[in-house]
Amino acid sequence: MDVDWVWLRERCSVVEDAAVIALNKPAGISVTGERHDVDIVEAAAAAGETLYPVHRIDKVTSGLVLFAKELGAHGQLTRQFNKQTARKVYLAIVPSAGLPDHGVIDLPLSVGRKNRVRIAAPRESIRRQGDRWFVEATDLLDTKNYPSVTEFTTIHHSGEHTVLALRPITGRRHQIRVHLAWIGHPILGDPLFDKSNSCDRTHLHSWRLGLAAPWRTPPELTLEATPGPDFWRPVHADSFDPTAILNRADKLLGDNESPSDASA
């Protein structure tokens, strides 16, 4: 897909100051590092602007992505991702089938054949105890693995689908997509795991992002990117109200915020 930086800047900017710019990225556009596509960083460079990605979201994922426009801000912000103090919330739509109101997916990741991210244990060793999915240390594969934790809250049921709000406590590549798929709830439209071909996009959206930003007053970035109509299509109905769903997510996430979340 061609990337029109001028269009993205005008239509998709969430916030911009002298140090950063945040976009509500459409699904299907690469952030950086894609071998076969023009990405946002390349498109901006072609237009005379230098961007430094603070983090990445997958090409198939829509929503918030943050870039620094200067190296000083880039270092301050990326350190928060590295230390896992950045506050992130994603939205995802999955098939409805037995997910609890709240859950924790505590499954380490590894890299398998063809550089594919997978759970670092056999699928049959994944256990569920209450609302937590995990594997025993004795079941881990004999390979390098990366502790990975995703918390989720169910915010809406609609017929055959469920909308989740997810907090990736760690920030591994493909973490949310792999975690949901391996517990039996692949994200709708995910080309890695949903083989139904029933959707024209992956229904995963980077919704909220919070970081410290010492150069701002107050010294923080609290960002939100509202999903577009294409994200909500699988759960759309005559009585459907995305605003009500997001307001419900606000309440549920607030009710379940731990002290460590609040201070992160």
Side-chain angles (χ1 to χ4, degrees), residues 9 16-22 49-54 66-79 213-216 221:
R9 172 185 274 286
E16 181 174 7
D17 62 23
V20 298
I21 182 169
E49 295 191 54
T50 300
L51 300 180
Y52 306 97
V54 172
L66 180 63
F67 300 90
K69 300 196 291 186
E70 56 181 37
L71 285 173
H74 182 258
Q76 293 180 65
L77 296 168
T78 55
R79 278 192 292 273
W215 66 90
R216 294 174 65 90
L221 278 167

Side-chain angles (χ1 to χ4, degrees), residues 137-207:
T138 52
D139 289 323
L140 291 174
L141 300 173
D142 186 17
T143 184
K144 187 171 180 59
N145 66 80
Y146 305 89
S148 305
V149 179
T150 303
E151 298 177 353
F152 69 83
T153 298
T154 298
I155 60 173
H156 181 71
H157 288 292
S158 177
E160 298 178 352
H161 303 114
T162 297
V163 184
L164 302 173
L166 304 110
R167 286 182 170 131
I169 306 305
T170 50
R172 313 298 182 191
R173 179 167 65 99
H174 297 339
Q175 176 178 314
I176 292 174
R177 298 166 67 186
V178 174
H179 270 174
L180 287 173
W182 279 62
I183 67 167
H185 299 272
I187 296 169
L188 285 173
D190 188 337
L192 295 178
F193 302 109
D194 179 8
K195 306 306 180 185
S196 68
N197 296 317
S198 61
C199 302
D200 57 6
R201 62 154 291 179
T202 299
H203 292 273
L204 178 63
H205 181 83
S206 172
W207 181 36

